[in-house]
Amino acid sequence: RCESLVEVYFQLHQQVMAVSAELGAELLPRLLERFNEVLSSLVKSSFLVEKQPPQVLKTQTKFQASVRFLLGPQLLKASAKPYMVRADMVTEKQARELALSAYNNTLSESTGEIMHNVVALETNPTSGTCCANFKNVLLKKIKRCERKGSESVTEEKCAVLFSTSVALTPSNLSVHLQVLSLPIVVIVHGNQDNNAKATVLWDNAFSEIDRVPFVVAERVPWEKMCDTLNLKFMAEVQTTKGLLKEHYFFLAQKIFSDHSASLEDFQSRSVSWAQFNKEILPGRGFTFWQWFDGVLDLTKRCLKSYWSDRLIIGFISKQYVCKLLSTEPDGTFLLRFSDSEIGGVTIAHVIRGKDGSSQVENIQPFSAKDLSIRSLGDRIRDLGQLRNLYPNTPKDQAFGSHYNSEWVG
């Protein structure tokens, strides 16, 4: 599409030059100047990031990225030596200034030190593409900028700015090309990864396409948050089985710390960034996102097939489990994600006394480490007190396909 627009431009240019004598000394220069503006605008918007750098980026770690110039094969034919594209780190403030100047300003100083950050813009004759591939870029160090109030380093967004200057044939117009990557959170230690992912998720999910970098809403409708958590869960776990209405109800009770509201009440609420990953959950040592991310990690690593077979209710409160199981026969059980630990799954089961009284027990949660030693299916088989998966499926029928066949000595 860009190439066909350039063809239109060249035809118009030829027609104007053909009648240049009739246009006169006043109109011709004005038309030619307007032509240059149009070409420059089209050329600038055809320079884009094809492969984005990782959005959570650790210093001293190599990464890859590539930019593509859609009009390169058509407009850069005559250049004797290749043009070089440069990658620089920019702060949110610098990104904003560049965007507000419509990318006409150039960068005054890079905000971090990047190694191997200059690469040739090369045209590939077979694919007909013009790209600069950054294969082993390394962010050596980052200069942190002034933070607002209680903002932590994992809430700070920066970006990579790719830039080059090219002379276009046949008009010989010189154009400075610049394009920004998606926002990036720079970390220096692996333990910051979890909070950095939260910043990136919030930005990717809730920002407008055309925005001043990197403005994003501070509050979003709960329904939008549900869609985001569901998409994230399915993508990370790589399952086609998403979250259900009752799961959202439990998650809403958790994030809003409200056990009295109905499902309908939550649908009209909005959730803030602070509730998502700033405020510690009541009586816990972690935020809502840190807890949810732990569930994601555990499910992805150890529970994917159980979740996909709908054997795990998972997102359900301890109180509600007691209500469900207390009227069930002895040995009825279900699986829920631990409330008190990050990345744990626990088994709740009912024990009936001879007098008919019932008691619901919660087994100590299993972590990913526990389940790598012995799988969930085998642990369930081991526990004689577990009989039927709620509501009434015999455990061997529900979990039989997940048992490992073992030699009995």
Side-chain angles (χ1 to χ4, degrees):
R1 188 167 292 190
C2 287
E3 288 175 347
S4 60
L5 282 171
V6 167
E7 287 303 328
V8 172
Y9 163 84
F10 284 140
Q11 286 165 15
L12 283 171
H13 195 273
Q14 276 174 336
Q15 288 168 3
V16 166
M17 294 316 284
V19 292
S20 59
E22 296 156 52
L23 289 170
E26 198 178 307
L27 187 54
L28 182 64
R30 269 173 42 210
L31 270 178
L32 291 178
E33 190 184 334
R34 181 81 187 107
F35 268 135
N36 277 352
E37 282 172 19
V38 168
L39 180 63
S40 174
S41 165
L42 175 62
V43 165
K44 284 178 176 182
S45 60
S46 79
F47 186 59
L48 36 97
V49 182
E50 187 170 52
K51 182 183 181 194
Q52 292 283 352
Q55 285 188 271
V56 176
L57 187 55
K58 192 163 175 276
T59 52
Q60 301 295 346
T61 310
K62 285 185 177 175
F63 68 93
Q64 296 182 336
S66 66
V67 288
R68 183 162 162 189
F69 183 30
L70 299 177
L71 292 173
Q74 209 173 2
L75 299 181
L76 300 182
K77 291 188 183 109
S79 166
K81 62 180 202 310
Y83 293 105
M84 305 308 279
V85 180
R86 184 185 162 90
D88 288 291
M89 287 304 289
V90 293
T91 62
E92 183 169 340
K93 184 169 176 281
Q94 288 172 315
R96 192 167 299 171
E97 285 162 3
L98 284 163
L100 293 173
S101 77
Y103 296 98
N104 289 327
N105 289 359
T106 52
L107 184 66
S108 52
E109 61 160 343
S110 180
T111 187
E113 196 182 326
I114 304 187
M115 314 279 289
H116 317 298
N117 67 328
V118 179
V119 170
L121 189 60
E122 294 170 315
T123 302
N124 180 331
T126 48
S127 65
T129 57
C130 177
C131 295
N133 293 310
F134 293 82
K135 291 205 170 84
N136 58 349
V137 204
L138 180 94
L139 177 62
K140 211 165 168 206
K141 56 176 192 250
I142 184 83
K143 263 201 306 221
R144 297 289 183 191
C145 46
E146 292 290 305
R147 281 194 295 283
K148 310 180 270 286
S150 66
E151 197 176 70
S152 72
V153 291
T154 52
E155 291 172 87
E156 191 182 305
K157 291 178 273 197
C158 26
V160 177
L161 177 74
F162 299 97
S163 59
T164 185
S165 288
V166 295
L168 307 178
T169 54
S171 59
N172 215 19
L173 177 71
S174 177
V175 184
H176 186 61
L177 304 176
Q178 300 190 103
V179 64
L180 273 180
S181 73
L182 290 173
I184 289 168
V185 178
V186 176
I187 61 173
V188 295
H189 196 286
N191 64 9
Q192 297 172 309
D193 184 62
N194 170 295
N195 292 326
K197 281 194 300 195
T199 302
V200 165
L201 180 69
W202 186 278
D203 194 273
N204 288 346
F206 307 124
S207 58
E208 303 291 328
I209 298 280
D210 293 315
R211 59 162 171 175
V212 174
F214 291 109
V215 175
V216 62
E218 196 58 33
R219 301 188 75 84
V220 295
W222 170 242
E223 280 190 309
K224 261 181 137 177
M225 174 57 83
C226 290
D227 290 343
T228 298
L229 293 174
N230 184 40
L231 286 170
K232 182 72 178 163
F233 190 92
M234 287 166 73
E236 283 284 320
V237 177
Q238 294 192 310
T239 177
T240 54
K241 299 291 195 291
L243 303 179
L244 307 172
K245 206 160 67 188
E246 49 270 34
H247 295 149
Y248 294 136
F249 185 46
F250 165 73
L251 292 170
Q253 289 178 325
K254 197 169 192 68
I255 202 165
F256 293 115
S257 305
D258 184 347
H259 291 274
S260 58
S262 69
L263 187 64
E264 288 67 39
D265 290 341
F266 287 129
Q267 277 167 345
S268 59
R269 291 199 194 179
S270 65
V271 63
S272 68
W273 162 250
Q275 287 166 315
F276 182 64
N277 194 44
K278 208 124 169 98
E279 294 163 1
I280 300 294
L281 292 172
R284 304 283 178 235
F286 42 79
T287 66
F288 173 85
W289 164 255
Q290 287 164 353
W291 173 84
F292 187 81
D293 188 45
V295 167
L296 273 185
D297 188 58
L298 174 75
T299 312
K300 176 170 74 177
R301 284 164 60 184
C302 308
L303 305 175
K304 179 181 166 177
S305 56
Y306 303 91
W307 174 270
S308 298
D309 291 347
R310 289 280 187 228
L311 299 173
I312 296 176
I313 294 180
F315 298 104
I316 183 169
S317 70
K318 223 173 187 171
Q319 293 81 348
Y320 192 53
V321 167
C322 284
K323 199 171 136 187
L324 285 184
L325 294 183
S326 57
T327 55
E328 293 299 319
D330 189 56
T332 305
F333 69 98
L334 57 76
L335 298 157
R336 50 175 280 271
F337 296 124
S338 170
D339 258 335
S340 54
E341 288 183 23
I342 289 183
V345 63
T346 187
I347 302 169
H349 63 100
V350 66
I351 300 169
R352 284 215 168 272
K354 288 195 169 67
D355 59 352
S357 65
S358 70
Q359 190 184 339
V360 175
E361 292 270 322
N362 284 279
I363 292 168
Q364 171 77 26
F366 302 121
S367 65
K369 190 179 171 191
D370 298 326
L371 298 177
S372 67
I373 296 166
R374 189 156 178 76
S375 74
L376 183 65
D378 290 342
R379 286 175 185 272
I380 287 168
R381 177 168 58 175
D382 294 343
L383 296 164
Q385 68 270 42
L386 308 181
R387 299 203 185 118
N388 294 321
L389 180 66
Y390 178 84
N392 54 7
T393 313
K395 78 170 177 187
D396 292 345
Q397 188 185 321
F399 291 90
S401 62
H402 298 274
Y403 295 161
N404 287 312
S405 52
E406 294 168 350
W407 292 95
V408 179

